[in-house]
Amino acid sequence: MPSVTDRYDPLDGQILRDPYPVLAGLRASEPVFWHHGMQSWALTRYADCVRVLRGHDTFARDPRRTGGTVPEPSSSVQTLDPPRQSHIRSLFMTALRAQDLSALEARARRLVLGRLDAWAGAGPFDVMAEVAVPLSVAVVADLLGVEPPPYAEFAEVSDAIMRSMDGGLDPSLVEPGRIARQRLSELVDAWFTASCRPGLLERVRQAGPGTDPMVRLYVKNTARVMFQGGYSTMAAAVGNAVAVLLGRPDVLERMRDAALLATGVDELVRFDGPVQGTTRVAVRACRIGGVEVAAGQKVVPLFAAANRDPGAFWGADRLVLERTPNRHLGYGWGPHACIGTTVAQAGLRALIAALNEHPARLVAAGDGVRRRTATMRVYQTLPALLRL
């Protein structure tokens, strides 16, 4: 019988197309298993995943707590654990709550309508290149209050960073990711030395990271992580959502209802989410799901598996637009969750509202191709066309 590692290769073509049957089988038979490729314990049950994400005392995101190091370019809110993380995260969350997300959502909807106008009746186009990338870059730039970089150029940088997250499975991805982070850091440095229009970044600057050079470093790097992470997560979520809607046109029609639109965007992310998992390191020996985890071993909560756990979600393999509450892990959980979750949801609402408002109907124009990445579930290309 094939080993668990052979059965769950996150870069295998079939797993990229549809990981859920294999994850369901593992959740039933080996809910906590050792994966040789990732050199980690992998978790498939919702309760186990949430336990790890909540258990900051036992499971570290910050590698320094288990004898590791954090390179200066990687020092951000995402490499700090509570309580050290609190000040930096609070700066950004306070600035985020001050933003007018309704106005941002309205601008995003107009942008999508403009992209749809350009392709209505014009033949097949790639949803990722023509809608997901422009929408995601524009929304995150709008949130921060900076000029959006050229779409295709930024997508290339972001993709290199995203691929480098799979460096444990493919070490050749690490160096291109480092170079891409440096390029993005230079862009962020320019934002901090130039005047910004009103937005989240300007509010963070006004709040004042002070004169402490380490705090200033963490603030700059967190802005970089927020831009790149917000963009890549949202672009992936947009592609996944559109793919689901292309196969279920009745779902798009039902989401004309404002109440179903509000809950439905969360359900689309639970059903086929962008972020597939994250890594923690055990600070001390512990037991999860009947398995002994040694101090220093890595643990990977698999969000894709947790979000289809029937022990946490009734009808877990069904798309239930009215599902509430919906405490999915599509954007992570707790202090290390994506800071821009509410913005990503606003972008998805804008997308779906624009698709329903536009006179042309979006239909599939072929099979989408998944990008060969393990950490992020994202389409490389997603062909569609707009029928007038």
Side-chain angles (χ1 to χ4, degrees), residues 148-227:
Y151 297 147
E153 180 181 321
F154 179 73
E156 180 182 344
V157 170
S158 177
D159 291 349
I161 295 172
M162 185 170 63
R163 289 178 190 277
S164 72
M165 295 177 187
D166 298 332
L169 295 169
D170 184 352
S172 70
L173 301 172
V174 174
E175 181 60 13
R178 185 196 67 78
I179 295 171
R181 283 187 182 87
Q182 179 59 39
R183 290 175 61 187
L184 183 53
S185 292
E186 292 168 359
L187 176 63
V188 175
D189 285 343
W191 293 342
F192 276 85
T193 56
S195 59
C196 293
R197 64 175 185 261
L200 183 144
L201 193 56
E202 182 61 21
R203 282 190 172 270
V204 169
R205 290 170 56 175
Q206 289 173 357
T211 58
D212 185 330
M214 285 306 297
V215 173
R216 294 177 67 85
L217 173 68
Y218 274 101
V219 166
K220 278 190 179 183
N221 287 348
T222 298
R224 187 200 71 221
V225 168
M226 190 170 185
F227 194 88

Side-chain angles (χ1 to χ4, degrees), residues 15-198:
I15 298 294
L16 290 172
R17 285 188 292 274
D18 184 7
Y20 300 108
V22 169
L23 291 173
L26 290 170
R27 191 172 53 241
S29 63
E30 297 172 85
V32 180
F33 62 89
W34 180 258
H35 194 282
H36 290 286
M38 296 188 289
Q39 286 294 291
S40 306
W41 291 104
L43 314 180
T44 59
R45 291 189 297 210
Y46 181 89
D48 291 336
C49 291
V50 171
R51 175 191 163 191
V52 168
L53 297 175
R54 283 177 170 169
H56 306 299
D57 290 342
T58 305
F59 302 100
R61 178 70 177 260
D62 187 340
R64 290 166 295 195
R65 293 176 58 201
T66 52
T69 60
V70 178
E72 188 174 285
S74 299
S75 298
S76 76
V77 71
Q78 293 291 4
T79 57
L80 290 173
D81 285 328
R84 292 185 64 204
Q85 183 208 53
S86 301
H87 175 59
I88 306 297
R89 187 173 177 87
S90 178
L91 281 174
F92 282 84
M93 293 304 295
T94 300
L96 176 62
R97 286 189 287 269
Q99 304 308 303
D100 186 347
L101 295 187
S102 295
L104 182 148
E105 185 174 332
R107 290 190 290 270
R109 183 178 57 80
R110 290 194 294 271
L111 182 146
V112 175
L113 286 171
R115 305 299 294 187
L116 298 179
D117 284 343
W119 284 100
F125 65 98
D126 178 15
V127 170
M128 298 307 296
E130 301 300 335
V131 178
V133 168
L135 173 63
S136 302
V137 173
V139 165
V140 180
D142 192 359
L143 172 69
L144 291 178
V146 299
E147 286 299 317
Y151 297 147
E153 180 181 321
F154 179 73
E156 180 182 344
V157 170
S158 177
D159 291 349
I161 295 172
M162 185 170 63
R163 289 178 190 277
S164 72
M165 295 177 187
D166 298 332
L169 295 169
D170 184 352
S172 70
L173 301 172
V174 174
E175 181 60 13
R178 185 196 67 78
I179 295 171
R181 283 187 182 87
Q182 179 59 39
R183 290 175 61 187
L184 183 53
S185 292
E186 292 168 359
L187 176 63
V188 175
D189 285 343
W191 293 342
F192 276 85
T193 56
S195 59
C196 293
R197 64 175 185 261

Side-chain angles (χ1 to χ4, degrees), residues 170-321:
D170 184 352
S172 70
L173 301 172
V174 174
E175 181 60 13
R178 185 196 67 78
I179 295 171
R181 283 187 182 87
Q182 179 59 39
R183 290 175 61 187
L184 183 53
S185 292
E186 292 168 359
L187 176 63
V188 175
D189 285 343
W191 293 342
F192 276 85
T193 56
S195 59
C196 293
R197 64 175 185 261
L200 183 144
L201 193 56
E202 182 61 21
R203 282 190 172 270
V204 169
R205 290 170 56 175
Q206 289 173 357
T211 58
D212 185 330
M214 285 306 297
V215 173
R216 294 177 67 85
L217 173 68
Y218 274 101
V219 166
K220 278 190 179 183
N221 287 348
T222 298
R224 187 200 71 221
V225 168
M226 190 170 185
F227 194 88
Q228 191 279 325
Y231 156 79
S232 60
T233 301
M234 185 174 168
V238 166
N240 293 349
V242 170
V244 170
L245 296 173
L246 287 172
R248 297 171 172 82
D250 61 305
V251 170
L252 181 61
E253 181 65 27
R254 289 182 63 207
M255 291 180 79
R256 291 180 183 275
D257 182 309
L260 288 183
L261 176 62
T263 56
V265 292
D266 258 330
E267 177 66 353
L268 285 166
V269 172
R270 182 203 68 83
F271 186 74
D272 196 17
V275 184
Q276 297 298 279
T278 190
T279 303
R280 299 289 186 271
V281 180
V283 174
R284 53 179 173 268
C286 59
R287 190 175 179 85
I288 307 176
V291 169
E292 297 292 339
V293 178
Q297 286 187 323
K298 291 191 293 183
V299 177
V300 177
L302 293 173
F303 299 160
N307 284 341
R308 296 286 190 101
D309 184 349
F313 302 97
W314 61 271
D317 288 322
R318 294 172 49 211
L319 185 71
V320 182
L321 294 181

